[in-house]
Amino acid sequence: MDYIEAKRDDLNYSKTYGDTYNLMINAGRAVAKFVSSKFKQHSKVLIVCGTGNNAGDGIMASSFLNCMDVKIQFIKEPFDLKTYEARRAFNENNQKYFTIEDLDKNIQESEIIIDAIFGIGINGSPREPYSSVITKINSSGKIIVSVDVPSGFPYPGSVKPDYTVTFTGIKDGMTSETCGEIIVSDIGIPENIIKYSGRGDLLYIPKPLQDSHKGMNGRVALISGFTYSGSAIIAARAAYNTGVDLVRVYTSQNNYNIISSYSAGLIVRTFNDLDNDDINQNDAILIGPGLGLNPGYRDILINIIKKYNGIIIADADALKLLSPGHLEGKKCAVTPHAGEFKMFYGVDATEENAVKMSKKYGIITVLKGKVDIITDGDNIFYTSGGNARMTMGGTGDMLAGLIAGMAAKHINLIRACMIGTYINKEAARICYDDLGYYYSIDDMINKIPYVINNKI
């Protein structure tokens, strides 16, 4: 379990249930349960707290340690607590607390130190005053129990605990050498939080580095719009609005001028240029939107698929021209609605069949519907939301462009599909809040940056 996954679950829980206070209660209870069962009653316990939710977990643990002699040690003042949940934990648990001036004395008098200074996500080794506090804890000779992860983990200068009570799952890099004995506790994150996409999934979108250059933030190519230019434009604009650096559209000569005149940010080529251009210069390619069903287009797609080594998103007409065998062995996602699913896979569009077909061919399937189903054959996720206006033309093209853009940013492909489906439905929700059912696909595309930026 990586840092982003843990933060993702917390954020999605908070958006669903209002805050994560119940998780904090459960985390504190889990720490207290371990300490109470492991050590003798009336042990002298010092809980050393920072300013974030990890501190809140420690404070909550104190309220369940009724059989222990507990002191709460703050490194800073309680009014420096940064989160609503941590402040609430402090206000609702009338425990006596001590400030940094009392640290040496309290360490000396304790038998067990609960480390609740930093949780996951610290950026770099601890700095003062925390580094000195951690040094004193590590050299104290006392039993040390860390909350979720050792404070400072995984950087040098972290707490060196005897035990770590971690939540939900073991975090990446946690070992007995860095964390002591690891105890995994379930703190009550519901299955729907893990299985359904949400705002927390946006944490996987990387931010551009200050010294990045053109191409580092993703390059997408579309083989689309041979027949219907509008579909190609919608998909290309959606991909562009994900923040990729380059979007190339390969289309027919007839539609070249239409697409190239629509947006100055798009690089438009004809499909004849595919013979000379290196298709592998793109991080992801999207095939299908507005392509048309000319049988000759099948050979163009098959030739591209054979040559291309990156990530392929297949949508719309590509699913009618190709069979699953053409994509087998490729890093690929397909985005069918129910009718396209049956045409492509040859079976009815059910969740069971989506799992079965994805497993058989090694393809990630995004089965679009009121609730989108996303599966790679081993894992299955869902995206709910949106509204009835999403039956209008273009929402599928927009989704395909979103997934291609996210995949081009080197996000894990199944996660890119979860992000794309979430943004698509969330943009529709925002448009409905603003305009009722009278919004357009252009309105949805323009909301993509707002969804990604968490501004609404």
Side-chain angles (χ1 to χ4, degrees):
M1 185 177 194
D2 61 28
Y3 154 69
I4 299 179
E5 184 178 357
K7 296 295 288 184
R8 175 254 185 204
D9 291 349
D10 281 352
L11 182 54
N12 284 352
Y13 183 98
S14 179
K15 289 297 296 179
T16 302
Y17 297 102
D19 60 52
T20 58
Y21 191 62
N22 282 336
L23 298 184
M24 185 171 285
I25 292 172
N26 293 340
R29 183 184 287 115
V31 173
K33 180 180 179 181
F34 169 74
V35 173
S36 299
S37 63
K38 185 73 176 179
F39 307 109
K40 66 180 187 298
Q41 291 189 8
H42 309 300
S43 296
K44 294 182 177 180
V45 178
L46 179 65
I47 303 176
V48 184
C49 296
T51 58
N53 276 345
N54 201 244
D57 296 341
I59 295 166
M60 288 306 312
S62 72
S63 69
F64 293 107
L65 286 169
N66 300 318
C67 60
M68 302 288 188
D69 179 8
V70 178
K71 293 180 179 177
I72 297 179
Q73 173 76 63
F74 283 101
I75 298 174
K76 294 188 175 182
E77 294 290 339
F79 53 74
D80 289 319
L81 289 168
K82 295 178 180 178
T83 69
Y84 157 78
E85 291 87 349
R87 292 191 295 271
R88 181 176 173 183
F90 177 76
N91 292 331
E92 293 186 3
N93 293 277
N94 297 317
Q95 302 282 358
K96 184 177 180 181
Y97 69 90
F98 298 84
T99 56
I100 193 71
E101 292 79 12
D102 302 299
L103 178 65
D104 292 336
K105 176 176 178 292
N106 286 336
I107 288 178
Q108 185 178 1
E109 293 177 353
S110 67
E111 297 171 277
I112 302 164
I113 298 175
I114 295 178
D115 156 38
I117 303 172
F118 298 125
I120 56 174
I122 187 173
N123 186 18
S125 296
R127 296 183 288 272
E128 292 294 353
Y130 302 104
S131 57
S132 294
V133 172
I134 290 172
T135 297
K136 290 179 179 181
I137 291 173
N138 285 340
S139 61
S140 67
K142 311 298 174 136
I143 296 168
I144 304 171
V145 179
S146 285
V147 176
D148 200 20
V149 295
S151 291
F153 174 85
Y155 298 100
S158 65
V159 169
K160 306 300 180 187
D162 300 287
Y163 307 92
T164 298
V165 181
T166 195
F167 310 131
T168 306
I170 294 176
K171 313 305 185 289
D172 288 353
M174 292 182 72
T175 65
S176 58
E177 288 75 24
T178 59
C179 303
E181 182 181 337
I182 300 171
I183 299 91
V184 179
S185 294
D186 179 2
I187 59 171
I189 296 178
E191 186 74 3
N192 67 298
I193 296 300
I194 297 170
K195 288 294 186 180
Y196 277 76
S197 64
R199 183 163 291 180
D201 291 277
L202 302 179
L203 295 172
Y204 284 90
I205 303 174
K207 293 183 178 179
L209 301 174
Q210 290 296 323
D211 59 349
S212 61
H213 54 77
K214 187 180 294 184
M216 284 182 62
N217 301 300
R219 294 162 295 187
V220 176
L222 286 78
I223 293 84
S224 62
F226 289 14
T227 304
Y228 305 106
S229 59
S231 295
I233 291 166
I234 291 166
R237 289 181 62 209
Y240 193 72
N241 275 8
T242 65
V244 295
D245 287 341
L246 294 170
V247 176
R248 299 180 176 93
V249 181
Y250 292 90
T251 192
S252 63
Q253 187 65 54
N254 288 340
N255 285 334
Y256 173 89
N257 289 334
I258 298 172
I259 297 173
S260 61
S261 65
Y262 201 90
S263 172
L266 304 179
I267 300 170
V268 185
R269 309 275 280 163
T270 69
F271 64 79
N272 293 322
D273 294 315
L274 286 165
D275 293 332
N276 300 317
D277 291 356
D278 179 11
I279 194 67
N280 281 296
Q281 66 185 312
N282 301 289
D283 299 295
I285 61 172
L286 168 58
I287 57 177
L291 195 67
L293 298 178
N294 185 322
Y297 297 158
R298 180 183 290 108
D299 292 336
I300 294 174
L301 296 184
I302 292 172
N303 185 48
I304 291 166
I305 292 166
K306 286 179 179 179
K307 292 193 299 183
Y308 185 61
N309 299 318
I311 296 169
I312 300 170
I313 313 300
D315 179 54
D317 292 337
L319 303 177
K320 301 165 187 173
L321 291 168
L322 300 172
S323 68
H326 291 124
L327 298 170
E328 194 171 6
K330 294 290 184 174
K331 293 173 283 189
C332 179
V334 297
T335 57
H337 56 58
E340 291 166 342
F341 183 98
K342 187 168 185 176
M343 186 175 294
F344 181 66
Y345 283 126
V347 294
D348 289 337
T350 66
E351 182 175 318
E352 180 182 2
N353 283 337
V355 173
K356 188 183 298 183
M357 293 297 104
S358 289
K359 184 77 169 179
K360 180 178 180 179
Y361 293 106
I363 296 171
I364 292 174
T365 301
V366 179
L367 178 54
K368 296 179 291 194
K370 184 175 180 181
V371 176
D372 296 334
I373 298 168
I374 305 153
T375 181
D376 60 1
D378 294 318
N379 304 286
I380 185 164
F381 300 96
Y382 309 92
T383 302
S384 58
N387 50 67
R389 178 61 176 148
M390 292 187 75
T391 58
M392 68 177 164
T395 57
D397 302 315
M398 175 171 158
L399 173 61
L402 285 167
I403 293 173
M406 292 302 162
K409 291 176 174 292
H410 307 290
I411 300 169
N412 172 279
L413 185 52
I414 197 165
R415 186 69 64 182
C417 293
M418 293 176 70
I419 294 169
T421 54
Y422 171 76
I423 294 173
N424 202 42
K425 289 184 182 292
E426 183 68 359
R429 181 196 67 79
I430 293 168
C431 288
Y432 177 81
D433 288 348
D434 289 346
L435 302 168
Y437 286 119
Y438 307 101
Y439 63 86
S440 68
I441 193 64
D442 289 323
D443 295 320
M444 283 183 62
I445 292 171
N446 291 335
K447 291 300 183 186
I448 292 171
Y450 288 92
V451 177
I452 295 174
N453 262 335
N454 274 339
K455 287 184 177 177
I456 297 180

